[in-house]
Amino acid sequence: MARTPITTQVAIMGAGPAGLMLSHLLAGQGIDSVVLEIRSRQAIQETVRAGILEHGTVNLLVDSGVSDRVLREGDRHDGIELRFNGESHRIDFKELVGESVWLYPQTDVFMDFAARREADGGDVRYSVTDTSVHDLEGKPKVWFTDADGQDFELQADFLVGADGSRSHCRRRIPEAARTQYFHEYPFAWFGILAEAPRSSEELIYANSEHGFALISQRTENVQRMYFQCDPAERAEDWDDERIWAEFRKRVNGNGFELKEGPVLEKMVLPFRSFVHAPMRHGNLFLAGDAAHTVPPTGAKGLNLAINDVKLLFEGLEYFYGSGSTALLDSYSDRALDRVWKAQHFSYWMTSMLHTPTDADDFARARQLGELRSVVSSEHGRAYLAEAYTGWPGR
Ligand code: DHB
């Protein structure tokens, strides 16, 4: 059967926060887009993701009219605690750099975007299948089958690959036209959602000789926590008692005791560092996890994706307003500037806070020296605070 032809200005693969944000911003300037997503809206909504938004990300959400729910239902955090050797050290973001972050899960960010695009009549098609992309160096085309089984050919001026870490778009870029950078870590995170009251008002990033743990929150009664584990670990091998015993070893002590409760969800989350450069090939532009992934320790993944989208939007808006490709041509370099800062920060936080299983006495003592050098210096604390809350310039 023949494919039904449709045309748009910007075809966007992926209806995660990056793809939906771009579609929303473009619509505000009268620029037409179609968003295609292979997952169902329900499936995206049910995936547990990370939760920290930089102040710049929050401003974009609110100022572009997506939603102000983050301000009403999110939690502003003015600092974090670094815990090591049984003691907590507060990094006071407000005092050090005058900024904050917001705890507001990515799932909620997605729901806000999806609702806003729907209310504005945006063309977002979930549960599409058999997608393939063509003519990246000319007028890009996407072949796909929609949720009702109808075949389409979507033609656009530009194609945006915001289709996540397993990006289909990225794989269509010839090897000779790109460089890929990888770094593997001998760690993964064991993540849980637990029914328990908050143990702390702020996030605790804990280093211990038994490994790293992160105490985060979701609601009054549900908490999100992680501990460093081997990437080969299997979640089903861990019952509640074994999980809590691991957390206790890593964070309890000196008067601090984690509040425990039934584990509602558990999962092993492997991670790595990855960058694909340049973030453009012909008329294909990559954004978010499709172009780069960071270890979760610095909470940078979603924030980087939103920064990409802001830059890409500026390039597209400038092109449709003036006919000039100047800002599209510099998109990759401008986006990668922040990507590499975030790669460094995430790598640094990961190596500073995780404990390799084969760490010898020197490695352990050096790591504690590094942690002390950060928390005891205003400059050290300020570097962490600036990177965590988001570098200026957006
Ligand atoms: C959360 C996840 C992170 O990777 C992080 O650095 C902080 C918080 C979270 O899921 O709450």
mmCIF file of all heavy atoms in Angstrom, residues 36-52:
data_model
loop_
_atom_site.group_PDB
_atom_site.id
_atom_site.type_symbol
_atom_site.label_atom_id
_atom_site.label_comp_id
_atom_site.label_asym_id
_atom_site.label_seq_id
_atom_site.Cartn_x
_atom_site.Cartn_y
_atom_site.Cartn_z
ATOM 1 N N LEU A 36 7.390 12.131 16.502
ATOM 2 C CA LEU A 36 7.112 10.691 16.411
ATOM 3 C C LEU A 36 7.784 9.973 17.568
ATOM 4 O O LEU A 36 8.943 10.253 17.898
ATOM 5 C CB LEU A 36 7.651 10.128 15.089
ATOM 6 C CG LEU A 36 7.104 10.772 13.816
ATOM 7 C CD1 LEU A 36 7.770 10.144 12.591
ATOM 8 C CD2 LEU A 36 5.588 10.622 13.739
ATOM 9 N N GLU A 37 7.068 9.024 18.153
ATOM 10 C CA GLU A 37 7.584 8.325 19.344
ATOM 11 C C GLU A 37 7.209 6.847 19.244
ATOM 12 O O GLU A 37 6.048 6.527 18.983
ATOM 13 C CB GLU A 37 6.982 8.969 20.602
ATOM 14 C CG GLU A 37 7.215 8.214 21.891
ATOM 15 C CD GLU A 37 8.692 8.059 22.252
ATOM 16 O OE1 GLU A 37 9.392 9.072 22.367
ATOM 17 O OE2 GLU A 37 9.134 6.896 22.407
ATOM 18 N N ILE A 38 8.185 5.965 19.441
ATOM 19 C CA ILE A 38 7.872 4.537 19.328
ATOM 20 C C ILE A 38 7.210 3.981 20.604
ATOM 21 O O ILE A 38 6.490 3.007 20.545
ATOM 22 C CB ILE A 38 9.116 3.683 18.959
ATOM 23 C CG1 ILE A 38 10.244 3.883 19.959
ATOM 24 C CG2 ILE A 38 9.599 4.003 17.552
ATOM 25 C CD1 ILE A 38 11.436 2.980 19.710
ATOM 26 N N ARG A 39 7.428 4.638 21.741
ATOM 27 C CA ARG A 39 6.794 4.148 22.973
ATOM 28 C C ARG A 39 5.377 4.720 23.099
ATOM 29 O O ARG A 39 5.034 5.713 22.463
ATOM 30 C CB ARG A 39 7.614 4.567 24.199
ATOM 31 C CG ARG A 39 8.980 3.913 24.270
ATOM 32 C CD ARG A 39 9.856 4.575 25.299
ATOM 33 N NE ARG A 39 10.116 5.970 24.955
ATOM 34 C CZ ARG A 39 10.696 6.852 25.759
ATOM 35 N NH1 ARG A 39 11.068 6.508 26.953
ATOM 36 N NH2 ARG A 39 10.893 8.096 25.359
ATOM 37 N N SER A 40 4.576 4.098 23.958
ATOM 38 C CA SER A 40 3.252 4.653 24.222
ATOM 39 C C SER A 40 3.393 5.756 25.274
ATOM 40 O O SER A 40 4.356 5.774 26.046
ATOM 41 C CB SER A 40 2.294 3.573 24.744
ATOM 42 O OG SER A 40 2.681 3.182 26.042
ATOM 43 N N ARG A 41 2.420 6.656 25.286
ATOM 44 C CA ARG A 41 2.451 7.741 26.280
ATOM 45 C C ARG A 41 2.457 7.145 27.698
ATOM 46 O O ARG A 41 3.179 7.600 28.582
ATOM 47 C CB ARG A 41 1.213 8.622 26.054
ATOM 48 C CG ARG A 41 1.215 9.879 26.863
ATOM 49 C CD ARG A 41 0.179 10.837 26.309
ATOM 50 N NE ARG A 41 -0.111 11.904 27.248
ATOM 51 C CZ ARG A 41 -0.924 12.909 27.001
ATOM 52 N NH1 ARG A 41 -1.532 12.996 25.837
ATOM 53 N NH2 ARG A 41 -1.146 13.840 27.903
ATOM 54 N N GLN A 42 1.660 6.095 27.870
ATOM 55 C CA GLN A 42 1.565 5.421 29.160
ATOM 56 C C GLN A 42 2.921 4.864 29.602
ATOM 57 O O GLN A 42 3.345 5.033 30.746
ATOM 58 C CB GLN A 42 0.551 4.271 29.017
ATOM 59 C CG GLN A 42 0.173 3.588 30.310
ATOM 60 C CD GLN A 42 -0.625 4.511 31.212
ATOM 61 O OE1 GLN A 42 -1.138 5.536 30.769
ATOM 62 N NE2 GLN A 42 -0.704 4.162 32.486
ATOM 63 N N ALA A 43 3.625 4.207 28.667
ATOM 64 C CA ALA A 43 4.910 3.583 29.009
ATOM 65 C C ALA A 43 5.932 4.643 29.431
ATOM 66 O O ALA A 43 6.689 4.442 30.392
ATOM 67 C CB ALA A 43 5.447 2.778 27.830
ATOM 68 N N ILE A 44 5.948 5.790 28.749
ATOM 69 C CA ILE A 44 6.915 6.836 29.117
ATOM 70 C C ILE A 44 6.581 7.346 30.522
ATOM 71 O O ILE A 44 7.452 7.550 31.357
ATOM 72 C CB ILE A 44 6.877 8.029 28.134
ATOM 73 C CG1 ILE A 44 7.045 7.546 26.695
ATOM 74 C CG2 ILE A 44 7.952 9.045 28.483
ATOM 75 C CD1 ILE A 44 6.927 8.657 25.658
ATOM 76 N N GLN A 45 5.286 7.503 30.744
ATOM 77 C CA GLN A 45 4.815 8.052 32.012
ATOM 78 C C GLN A 45 5.136 7.142 33.194
ATOM 79 O O GLN A 45 5.255 7.602 34.311
ATOM 80 C CB GLN A 45 3.303 8.210 31.903
ATOM 81 C CG GLN A 45 2.772 9.396 32.597
ATOM 82 C CD GLN A 45 1.479 9.830 31.926
ATOM 83 O OE1 GLN A 45 1.473 10.306 30.788
ATOM 84 N NE2 GLN A 45 0.386 9.648 32.626
ATOM 85 N N GLU A 46 5.250 5.836 32.925
ATOM 86 C CA GLU A 46 5.465 4.893 34.021
ATOM 87 C C GLU A 46 6.938 4.596 34.272
ATOM 88 O O GLU A 46 7.275 3.859 35.191
ATOM 89 C CB GLU A 46 4.706 3.588 33.727
ATOM 90 C CG GLU A 46 3.222 3.761 34.006
ATOM 91 C CD GLU A 46 2.374 2.622 33.495
ATOM 92 O OE1 GLU A 46 2.940 1.637 32.979
ATOM 93 O OE2 GLU A 46 1.143 2.733 33.605
ATOM 94 N N THR A 47 7.827 5.157 33.433
ATOM 95 C CA THR A 47 9.249 4.889 33.624
ATOM 96 C C THR A 47 9.798 5.826 34.692
ATOM 97 O O THR A 47 9.642 7.040 34.598
ATOM 98 C CB THR A 47 10.028 5.110 32.298
ATOM 99 O OG1 THR A 47 9.348 4.407 31.270
ATOM 100 C CG2 THR A 47 11.452 4.612 32.400
ATOM 101 N N VAL A 48 10.411 5.251 35.715
ATOM 102 C CA VAL A 48 10.976 6.073 36.788
ATOM 103 C C VAL A 48 12.291 6.662 36.299
ATOM 104 O O VAL A 48 13.172 5.944 35.853
ATOM 105 C CB VAL A 48 11.230 5.232 38.059
ATOM 106 C CG1 VAL A 48 11.737 6.121 39.184
ATOM 107 C CG2 VAL A 48 9.974 4.502 38.476
ATOM 108 N N ARG A 49 12.405 7.967 36.346
ATOM 109 C CA ARG A 49 13.644 8.626 35.902
ATOM 110 C C ARG A 49 14.147 9.549 37.004
ATOM 111 O O ARG A 49 13.572 9.631 38.068
ATOM 112 C CB ARG A 49 13.377 9.428 34.604
ATOM 113 C CG ARG A 49 12.816 8.608 33.458
ATOM 114 C CD ARG A 49 13.827 7.607 32.894
ATOM 115 N NE ARG A 49 15.042 8.224 32.375
ATOM 116 C CZ ARG A 49 15.244 8.535 31.103
ATOM 117 N NH1 ARG A 49 14.302 8.315 30.212
ATOM 118 N NH2 ARG A 49 16.383 9.072 30.711
ATOM 119 N N ALA A 50 15.224 10.262 36.680
ATOM 120 C CA ALA A 50 15.863 11.102 37.698
ATOM 121 C C ALA A 50 15.027 12.341 38.015
ATOM 122 O O ALA A 50 13.975 12.566 37.414
ATOM 123 C CB ALA A 50 17.247 11.513 37.226
ATOM 124 N N GLY A 51 15.531 13.157 38.933
ATOM 125 C CA GLY A 51 14.627 14.176 39.450
ATOM 126 C C GLY A 51 15.125 15.588 39.673
ATOM 127 O O GLY A 51 14.376 16.413 40.170
ATOM 128 N N ILE A 52 16.366 15.907 39.304
ATOM 129 C CA ILE A 52 16.870 17.237 39.666
ATOM 130 C C ILE A 52 16.897 18.176 38.458
ATOM 131 O O ILE A 52 17.471 17.859 37.426
ATOM 132 C CB ILE A 52 18.297 17.130 40.257
ATOM 133 C CG1 ILE A 52 18.263 16.448 41.626
ATOM 134 C CG2 ILE A 52 18.967 18.496 40.363
ATOM 135 C CD1 ILE A 52 17.677 17.294 42.747
#
